Amino acid sequence: MKRSFVLTILLALTLPTALAAPAPARSKAQQIATYRVHALAHAAVTPATLAASGAPVQVTIPNDYLYKRDLRVNAYRLDDFLRARLPDLDALLARDAVVMLYCADGYAPMAKLRDLVGAGGLIAVGSPETDAQTQWPAVLYKDKPLPAAQIGNYLVWENFRYPQKPQPWGLVDVYVLPAGSAVK
């Protein structure tokens, strides 16, 4: 009897985990948090890191996604920012890395790094159409006012229109992830 009891306990301890309850599906926020922790590289988007990537440029974005009109912006070139913040950019490109553009509100669009580099991306920090304190003109988004503080750093494209390239605003971090990374 003792022997069968010990065998039962040993068997119970060694049962495959397949018999255990399945792990609950991870939420989108949990997946994003995991990617942020395990990223291959990270670049914070701040006034100091932008300034370290070179001088800002002033360009007009035709038919801007958010403003639905031509919009003049003060911006830093995305390629210059990535090269300044990610010294191993060429190696990451060779690895077919993915970029997650993390925004202040938790939005985190993803794209292949090779699709972003050389595509005319700009990190817009404001518009010369307003004073320095306002940063951005007033805008409605989905019939609601979107304050300038929420727009913050806005990724725009000189040569492409939404939805071909991500155009998030409130951009605070760029994470480089392994090839094939995706949030479901």
Side-chain angles (χ1 to χ4, degrees):
M1 176 114 166
K2 272 185 171 180
R3 183 174 207 177
S4 63
F5 179 73
V6 170
L7 287 174
T8 302
I9 290 175
L10 286 174
L11 183 60
L13 293 173
T14 59
L15 280 176
T17 55
L19 297 178
R26 293 185 314 158
S27 71
K28 194 172 194 175
Q30 290 170 321
Q31 292 175 54
I32 290 170
T34 300
Y35 277 137
R36 289 173 66 188
V37 170
H38 298 291
L40 300 173
H42 167 250
V45 183
T46 66
T49 60
L50 287 166
S53 66
V57 295
Q58 192 175 99
V59 298
T60 298
I61 304 300
N63 194 25
D64 176 71
Y65 166 69
L66 179 60
Y67 285 88
K68 311 248 184 293
R69 63 177 175 81
D70 292 357
L71 178 69
R72 286 187 314 140
V73 298
N74 296 321
Y76 293 87
R77 298 205 178 278
L78 179 62
D79 287 2
D80 294 342
F81 173 79
L82 292 174
R83 290 210 181 276
R85 305 311 312 159
L86 306 172
D88 56 346
L89 183 62
D90 293 328
L92 293 168
L93 284 164
R95 292 174 71 177
D96 205 23
V98 173
V99 171
M100 178 173 61
L101 303 161
Y102 187 74
C103 301
D105 63 359
Y107 180 56
M110 297 172 83
K112 291 184 178 184
L113 181 60
R114 69 167 179 239
D115 290 342
L116 302 183
V117 173
L122 300 164
I123 301 173
V125 295
S127 174
E129 297 174 11
T130 64
D131 59 54
Q133 294 172 330
T134 307
Q135 190 179 8
W136 293 103
V139 67
L140 290 176
Y141 179 68
K142 295 185 179 180
D143 298 324
K144 294 180 183 169
L146 182 62
Q150 289 181 6
I151 297 171
N153 299 313
Y154 176 26
L155 185 61
V156 295
W157 302 90
E158 290 181 288
N159 305 317
F160 296 93
R161 305 295 171 266
Y162 180 84
Q164 294 170 328
K165 299 285 183 199
Q167 293 190 271
W169 53 85
L171 181 63
V172 292
D173 290 293
V174 176
Y175 292 93
V176 182
L177 310 172
S181 298
V183 176
K184 298 174 187 168

